[in-house]
Amino acid sequence: MNRQNETILKVDDVYLSYGHVEALKGVSLEVKRGEIVVLVGANGAGKTSIMESILGVYQSRKGTVTFKDKNVTNLSADKIVRKGIYLVPEGRGVFASMTVIDNLLLGAHHNLKNAKAKLTYVYDLFPILSERRNQIAGTLSGGERQMLAIARALMSNPEMIMVDEPSIGLAPKIVSDIFKILKELNKEGYSILLSEQNVYKALKLSHRGYVLETGKVVLTGTSEELLINPEIRKAYLGA
Amino acid sequence: MSLPLYYFLAITAVYILMTWALYLPYRVAHLHFIVVANMAISGYFGGYAAINWNWPFLLILAVGLILGAVVAFIVSIAIGDAPTFAVVIVGFTFIYITKTVIENWEALGSTMGMFGIPMVNHVLLVAYLFVLVTGFFIYRFDNSRLGRAASAIFVNRELATSFGVNTKHLGMFLQTWAGAIGGATGVLYAFIMNSLFPDFFTFHIIGITMTMLFLGGYTTMWGPLLAAPVLWGLPLLLPQEVASWKMIIYGVLLIVILLVRPEGAITRQVAARVRSIVLRR
Ligand SMILES: Nc1ncnc2c1ncn2[C@@H]1O[C@H](COP(=O)(O)OP(=O)(O)O)[C@@H](O)[C@H]1O
Ligand SMILES: [Mg+2]
């Protein structure tokens, strides 16, 4: 069965405010199965807010979120995670005082039966994590922490992962490694929603993109289109 | 067994249990003083049931435990996911209300206290069996996926939510469990002392158990287990003039430990090291 082109995630007219701050003002976007979709935008544009809205971290949002043809808008985050979405949070969200393996098992919170097999799988992908498994996660380097955060997401057996600004604070070489890993994972079938300020690299990696400004989508298209778009080149690519 | 030794051991069990009752909700950063009110409610209930209805000790213990759990569960529906300060305030309020009700309730002895709770055999044995069983289940919890999730909530509640941890359910579970321990401990206390005074169930016991928790170490269950006998036993060995400054000594110790060793005497690293030494044998 060819499931390409099937929409896995649909966000429709979502609003979110934190008290008086309106972070999202009617955002709509979609991710097709097998796609890497990137959200680009400056600090404060609303990238993190979109991801957290999709997960249902804030029940105060308005609009609809559909995942695998099911309306998940009113589900709590733990139910949405069970449906197969997992967030790799901004700043990695690694628990520094826990061991690497405990961080990984946290990802398998709803999937403990398969935890053993999943551990083998992520250790295979990230041998460095296997070496460091009993180390306190606080002792890992930035790149290793990012790998741990991605590996933890895979432990939950997701169909889609949302990766929030993975390149922050990493050396260019490490960023390329992380992006390579994301590409690999995508080839294995994971759909990916990525947020980035490293616009050039992100557009090179992704299939499609959305440009966000102050809580609104101002531009969308395939990554090739966006890469040659004059406005993007001026605002984000320094051309 | 000599009487002082008996009381030392019995009250040590009470403090271990009450400190564990604080420890459990604190796994998700809830400083839940309502357990002290649970202790009072179930303790007074137990004393009353023994004196007036001749209920047997073990039945009272079971009912006291359930009573503690039910009260804590109902409250947890409102504050299972509340911020720490809200939980603290609810706890204080609950203690205050409970104390006021007891002080104005003739049948419970009001401010005079309740006397004549019958002596029963094997209270000490039952108390330590309860410590053992409770400790076993806390150990199981701490090393389970829920224990891991609780540690995540302690560090960052929002992040834990985004990883699919149901923070409300876990908070409710821990508060209810702590309430059950508080209730059962209240009954044990009533039968150890054979009398109850409303003043005991206030800042006095909060101060002592909090010192035990933070001095012993709040990150593992072993901190309370060790701190309870030491902190409760030490003043008994001191001369009377010094021992009467007990609460001040506790206060100073608490401040000192928070400054020099914020996670308390027994941290996770210490526990892990001890475990690896023991397992190697
Ligand atoms: N917890 C919060 N409380 C108040 N305002 C917030 C909070 N989180 C984000 N915001 C605001 O919402 C807007 C969008 O933020 P965010 O989604 O974090 O943007 P991005 O991830 O693109 O940097 C910003 O104006 C930010 O200041
Ligand atoms: Mg962000």
Side-chain angles (χ1 to χ4, degrees):
Chain A
M1 185 173 66
N2 182 11
R3 297 169 78 185
Q4 289 283 334
N5 276 332
E6 171 195 334
T7 300
I8 186 165
L9 174 81
K10 196 165 181 341
V11 172
D12 202 14
D13 206 22
V14 164
Y15 287 77
L16 175 77
S17 40
Y18 304 97
H20 295 299
V21 183
E22 250 199 328
L24 302 178
K25 305 163 188 164
V27 170
S28 300
L29 57 86
E30 59 178 39
V31 178
K32 297 209 165 71
R33 200 176 275 279
E35 259 189 333
I36 303 181
V37 171
V38 65
L39 305 172
V40 300
N43 266 331
K47 304 181 293 297
T48 302
S49 300
I50 289 181
M51 293 186 168
E52 293 186 338
S53 295
I54 291 168
L55 265 188
V57 175
Y58 303 105
Q59 293 290 310
S60 57
R61 71 195 186 288
K62 278 186 241 131
T64 42
V65 178
T66 315
F67 184 66
K68 292 194 286 180
D69 296 325
K70 293 217 176 64
N71 184 342
V72 298
T73 314
N74 296 317
L75 296 186
S76 56
D78 64 301
K79 300 247 167 57
I80 294 180
V81 166
R82 275 175 217 253
K83 297 227 178 276
I85 311 183
Y86 210 85
L87 174 68
V88 182
E90 185 176 343
R92 349 271 187 233
V94 160
F95 289 97
S97 61
M98 292 193 204
T99 58
V100 167
I101 193 165
D102 272 343
N103 268 282
L104 289 171
L105 289 173
L106 190 62
H109 186 67
H110 294 302
N111 187 32
L112 217 55
K113 278 197 305 289
N114 301 319
K116 256 222 171 92
K118 280 282 162 194
L119 273 178
T120 317
Y121 167 70
V122 301
Y123 285 157
D124 215 38
L125 275 174
F126 306 100
I128 188 80
L129 296 182
S130 172
E131 282 167 36
R132 306 262 151 110
R133 67 181 92 181
N134 292 318
Q135 233 165 284
I136 297 289
T139 62
L140 300 182
S141 72
E144 289 162 355
R145 285 185 194 210
Q146 189 62 62
M147 290 181 201
L148 175 55
I150 293 171
R152 178 177 55 199
L154 301 178
M155 292 294 295
S156 79
N157 212 16
E159 289 177 55
M160 188 180 102
I161 53 178
M162 300 193 287
V163 190
D164 195 359
E165 298 210 35
S167 72
I168 274 189
L170 297 182
K173 159 85 178 63
I174 312 282
V175 174
S176 301
D177 290 348
I178 298 289
F179 276 30
K180 237 179 262 163
I181 290 164
L182 292 178
K183 181 139 218 159
E184 274 311 302
L185 292 175
N186 178 245
K187 279 200 187 122
E188 285 193 26
Y190 295 99
S191 310
I192 297 176
L193 180 62
L194 174 71
S195 99
E196 262 304 333
Q197 296 194 49
N198 196 331
V199 177
Y200 179 75
K201 270 189 176 161
L203 286 175
K204 280 285 186 194
L205 172 76
S206 58
H207 302 103
R208 285 190 306 115
Y210 293 85
V211 180
L212 282 172
E213 268 170 31
T214 58
K216 275 190 188 141
V217 174
V218 292
L219 199 61
T220 173
T222 67
S223 298
E224 288 89 358
E225 288 165 1
L226 292 176
L227 268 170
I228 56 167
N229 181 298
E231 280 167 57
I232 301 263
R233 291 177 70 88
K234 208 164 99 202
Y236 298 99
L237 301 175
Chain B
M1 191 186 292
S2 75
L3 213 55
L5 181 63
Y6 172 82
Y7 278 114
F8 169 71
L9 290 176
I11 299 302
T12 294
V14 166
Y15 281 135
I16 290 172
L17 290 167
M18 286 312 290
T19 311
W20 273 345
L22 274 190
Y23 165 81
L24 281 173
Y26 199 61
R27 294 284 274 107
V28 295
H30 283 163
L31 211 41
H32 203 21
F33 296 122
I34 202 171
V35 294
V36 172
N38 290 135
M39 188 186 182
I41 294 168
S42 292
Y44 268 94
F45 161 81
Y48 189 89
I51 295 167
N52 296 288
W53 306 330
N54 279 320
W55 280 21
F57 169 54
L58 288 178
L59 174 67
I60 293 174
L61 184 63
V63 175
L65 182 144
I66 293 165
L67 188 59
V70 168
V71 171
F73 174 76
I74 292 170
V75 176
S76 79
I77 295 170
I79 60 165
D81 205 16
T84 301
F85 76 91
V87 175
V88 170
I89 290 169
V90 168
F92 279 157
T93 310
F94 229 85
I95 291 173
Y96 187 72
I97 292 172
T98 306
K99 181 168 177 271
T100 308
V101 169
I102 292 170
E103 283 176 347
N104 289 289
W105 197 330
E106 204 78 22
L108 298 181
S110 43
T111 49
M112 298 292 294
M114 177 184 272
F115 294 91
I117 300 166
M119 304 265 236
V120 290
N121 291 327
H122 308 308
V123 176
L124 194 60
L125 180 70
V126 173
Y128 275 93
L129 280 177
F130 190 63
V131 168
L132 218 62
V133 171
T134 303
F136 171 75
F137 282 111
I138 294 178
Y139 183 83
R140 289 288 302 267
F141 171 82
D142 279 345
N143 292 288
S144 72
R145 82 189 180 103
L146 292 178
R148 211 157 32 231
S151 303
I153 295 175
F154 186 90
V155 177
N156 189 333
R157 186 169 293 264
E158 205 163 272
L159 200 56
T161 307
S162 74
F163 293 159
V165 174
N166 191 324
T167 53
K168 172 133 197 192
H169 284 178
L170 192 47
M172 289 174 69
F173 169 67
L174 289 170
Q175 290 182 7
T176 304
W177 186 3
I181 297 173
T185 309
V187 173
L188 290 170
Y189 181 77
F191 280 90
I192 290 165
M193 302 305 288
N194 308 111
S195 57
L196 295 170
F197 301 94
D199 268 344
F200 177 79
F201 302 98
T202 52
F203 294 103
H204 177 75
I205 188 161
I206 290 176
I208 293 177
T209 50
M210 230 171 70
T211 311
M212 287 168 178
L213 180 63
F214 288 107
L215 222 117
Y218 61 84
T219 60
T220 77
M221 62 179 289
W222 309 110
L225 189 68
L226 220 86
V230 171
L231 283 177
W232 158 243
L234 223 52
L236 299 181
L237 302 177
L238 296 174
Q240 186 59 46
E241 307 86 75
V242 184
S244 57
W245 293 84
K246 188 169 77 178
M247 291 312 278
I248 290 178
I249 297 171
Y250 284 171
V252 171
L253 282 175
L254 189 55
I255 291 167
V256 169
I257 198 93
L258 289 177
L259 289 176
V260 302
R261 205 176 157 86
E263 290 198 334
I266 300 184
T267 60
R268 287 200 178 142
Q269 281 89 319
V270 172
R273 215 170 305 142
V274 171
R275 184 175 313 159
S276 75
I277 291 168
V278 171
L279 288 183
R280 211 172 300 146
R281 291 275 151 83

